[in-house]
């Protein structure tokens, strides 16, 4: 499949500066690269972004993540491969990504408390930003029909 157009952030280069700053901030937040990839993969699965899902699976494999964990991200609730902190992060990713599916608060207090029990304020900030950025990338790539491997 060929993309409909170039990534808008490449067409409008000043967008890349802002995105680059956000990525740098995420990397300064104290989250492991693997956790960033896990929540990004889950976000991409929810949004149906094949380009990004492909890229995150590739990154997780390259980082040495076991295939069982990578394959189970879509069904993390029933899989024994994830820590309590990873489960909280994946749950947050689902809630933040599925905003339109909610009639209650987007992120319930109980979930927020669970996330806060595992992550300090810098890490929570990085987690919120990585989930939000992934949603941005998913929306761009699904709109322009980016091919596999073209995430970001």
């Amino acid at each position: 499949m060929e993309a409909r157009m170039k990534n808008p952030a490449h067409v409008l280069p000043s967008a890349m500066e802002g995105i680059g700053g956000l990525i740098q901030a995420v990397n300064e937040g104290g989250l492991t690269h693997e956790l960033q990839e896990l929540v990004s993969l889950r976000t991409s699965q929810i949004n149906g972004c094949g380009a990004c899902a492909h890229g995150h699976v590739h990154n997780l494999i390259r980082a040495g993540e076991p295939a069982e964990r990578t394959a189970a991200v879509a069904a993390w609730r029933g899989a024994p491969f994830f820590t309590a902190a990873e489960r909280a992060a994946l749950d947050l990713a689902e809630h933040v990504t599925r905003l339109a599916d909610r009639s209650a608060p987007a992120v319930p207090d109980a979930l927020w408390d669970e996330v806060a029990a595992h992550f300090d304020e810098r890490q929570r900030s990085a987690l919120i930003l990585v989930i939000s950025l992934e949603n941005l990338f998913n929306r761009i790539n699904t709109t322009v029909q980016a091919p596999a491997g073209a995430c970001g």
Side-chain angles (χ1 to χ4, degrees):
M1 174 174 68
E2 188 175 319
R4 291 177 169 157
M5 64 177 278
K6 290 185 216 174
N7 183 314
H10 295 169
V11 175
L12 304 171
S14 60
M16 287 302 289
E17 295 171 21
I19 291 169
L22 290 169
I23 291 169
Q24 181 179 346
V26 167
N27 290 329
E28 294 169 356
L31 294 180
T32 66
H33 177 71
E34 290 78 12
L35 182 59
Q36 291 178 43
E37 292 293 336
L38 287 171
V39 297
S40 294
L41 174 56
R42 184 64 191 125
T43 300
S44 297
Q45 290 170 334
I46 293 166
N47 287 326
C49 184
C52 290
H54 175 269
H56 296 301
V57 167
H58 177 77
N59 292 344
L60 285 162
I61 290 168
R62 230 179 36 212
E65 273 296 311
E68 295 87 7
R69 280 171 47 89
T70 302
V73 168
W76 63 268
R77 281 183 176 81
F81 311 114
F82 303 99
T83 67
E86 290 167 337
R87 289 175 180 283
L90 289 164
D91 202 7
L92 182 65
E94 289 187 0
H95 277 78
V96 171
T97 300
R98 292 184 165 143
L99 292 176
D101 297 342
R102 306 266 178 244
S103 59
V107 178
D109 290 340
L111 173 56
W112 184 257
D113 293 345
E114 181 68 19
V115 170
H118 296 286
F119 302 100
D120 65 27
E121 188 171 40
R122 289 180 61 83
Q123 292 169 320
R124 288 192 309 270
S125 297
L127 188 55
I128 292 165
L129 287 174
V130 76
I131 295 165
S132 300
L133 275 169
E134 193 59 35
N135 274 288
L136 169 67
F137 297 149
N138 293 166
R139 281 152 177 75
I140 291 170
N141 286 325
T142 57
T143 300
V144 302
Q145 295 182 342
C151 188

